[in-house]
């Protein structure tokens, strides 16, 4: 089955700096890669996703890149703000509606 | 759009009792819903996949007789934790799959806010 590894497990950045989270996956058949943000005591919120037919996608301060050859994808947050502090999870699946395999999560702390 | 709700948000019960958690898709029809549990500072662990009108598919190691799942309509799935014990205390989260989008044959999962279960 699919295995997703996520690094780093914790990330502390100064407000205004960029944050980068990296994930690798094992199943070359995976073609859908969402990213979720989870705040304390809440459910995960989809923030961006990418499908295998594109290499990069951007939405304001958030961007995701995908390298299918190397089987890794990354989340980039620019101009970080304190409200970006949360746990971020990457996931992978063969199709968007199928079972998601999650990474272990990255706890991001943005220091004012 | 694509809002998923859960009820209750928090429940405390005595050991041996059963607890039902509801998951609703508020503004879309969800042919498939997923149930997860999450322990503190850990990732989400898929428990089962629930398809409307059919039996749920459980992940390996998840007791189907203990975690009863019913998906009777396109907007509602329920998870019942039967004879709950302290080790069942956890954060239970559901997600719902939206319909097909853009003719691409792909769709997206949206998560509910979670239910914190504490078994005394």
């Amino acid at each position: 089955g699919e295995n997703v590894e996520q690094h780093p497990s914790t990330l502390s950045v100064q407000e205004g700096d960029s944050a980068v989270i990296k994930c690798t996956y094992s199943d070359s058949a995976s073609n859908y890669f969402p990213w979720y943000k989870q705040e304390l005591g809440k459910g995960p919120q989809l923030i961006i996703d990418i499908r295998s037919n594109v290499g990069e996608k951007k939405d304001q301060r958030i961007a995701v890149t995908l390298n299918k050859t190397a089987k890794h994808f990354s989340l980039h947050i620019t101009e970080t703000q304190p409200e970006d502090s949360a746990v971020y999870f990457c996931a992978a699946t063969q199709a968007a509606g199928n079972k998601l395999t999650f990474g272990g999560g990255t706890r991001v702390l943005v220091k004012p | 759009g694509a809002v998923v709700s859960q009820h209750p948000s928090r429940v405390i019960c005595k050991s041996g009792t059963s607890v039902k958690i509801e998951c609703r898709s508020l503004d879309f029809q969800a042919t498939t819903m997923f149930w997860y549990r999450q322990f503190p500072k850990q990732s989400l662990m898929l428990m089962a996949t629930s398809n409307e009108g059919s039996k749920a598919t459980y992940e390996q190691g998840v007791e189907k007789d203990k975690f009863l799942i019913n998906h009777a309509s396109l907007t509602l799935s329920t998870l019942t934790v039967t004879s709950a014990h302290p080790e069942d205390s956890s954060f239970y989260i559901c997600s719902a799959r939206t319909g097909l989008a853009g003719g691409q044959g792909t769709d997206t999962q949206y998560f509910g806010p979670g239910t914190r279960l504490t078994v005394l």
Side-chain angles (χ1 to χ4, degrees):
Chain A
E2 176 67 278
N3 181 49
V4 178
E5 295 193 358
Q6 184 172 345
H7 298 281
S9 56
T10 59
L11 180 59
S12 181
V13 297
Q14 206 65 37
E15 182 178 359
D17 289 349
S18 295
V20 180
I21 304 170
K22 298 181 179 181
C23 289
T24 60
Y25 61 99
S26 61
D27 189 348
S28 57
S30 290
N31 57 10
Y32 175 67
F33 309 92
W35 284 89
Y36 289 89
K37 174 184 179 182
Q38 186 178 29
E39 297 178 344
L40 189 63
K42 298 183 179 180
Q45 177 187 13
L46 179 70
I47 56 173
I48 196 168
D49 56 10
I50 191 168
R51 293 180 170 84
S52 59
N53 56 345
V54 298
E56 183 173 0
K57 184 177 179 180
K58 189 175 182 180
D59 182 5
Q60 299 182 338
R61 297 187 295 109
I62 295 173
V64 57
T65 59
L66 171 65
N67 184 326
K68 285 215 69 176
T69 302
K71 290 190 284 187
H72 67 70
F73 56 112
S74 300
L75 177 72
H76 304 252
I77 306 174
T78 59
E79 302 174 23
T80 54
Q81 301 168 3
E83 50 265 38
D84 294 329
S85 296
V87 179
Y88 291 81
F89 290 98
C90 64
T93 185
Q94 289 187 23
N98 285 347
K99 297 189 295 184
L100 292 173
T101 300
F102 283 87
T106 297
R107 188 171 302 274
V108 174
L109 175 63
V110 180
K111 298 179 180 178
Chain B
V3 178
V4 177
S5 71
Q6 277 184 245
H7 179 79
S9 58
R10 186 182 299 267
V11 57
I12 301 173
C13 68
K14 294 181 179 180
S15 184
T17 61
S18 294
V19 175
K20 179 184 285 188
I21 302 169
E22 293 185 349
C23 176
R24 294 182 185 273
S25 56
L26 298 185
D27 51 3
F28 65 96
Q29 293 185 331
T31 54
T32 303
M33 290 182 172
F34 303 86
W35 285 95
Y36 298 80
R37 66 186 298 181
Q38 185 180 35
F39 292 107
K41 297 185 178 182
Q42 294 190 21
S43 189
L44 287 79
M45 184 190 79
L46 180 65
M47 299 175 65
T49 301
S50 168
N51 290 295
E52 185 266 338
S54 62
K55 292 183 178 181
T57 302
Y58 290 82
E59 294 300 299
Q60 192 172 13
V62 178
E63 299 176 59
K64 62 180 181 180
D65 294 331
K66 180 168 186 60
F67 299 100
L68 301 179
I69 292 173
N70 182 276
H71 193 163
S73 77
L74 287 172
T75 59
L76 173 64
S77 177
T78 60
L79 167 68
T80 301
V81 183
T82 62
S83 186
H85 288 93
E87 57 265 30
D88 298 323
S89 298
S90 188
F91 194 51
Y92 291 87
I93 312 171
C94 70
S95 72
R97 185 178 72 176
T98 63
L100 299 178
Q104 297 178 2
T106 58
D107 42 23
T108 303
Q109 287 187 39
Y110 293 91
F111 283 80
T115 297
R116 173 77 56 194
L117 170 63
T118 303
V119 185
L120 302 177

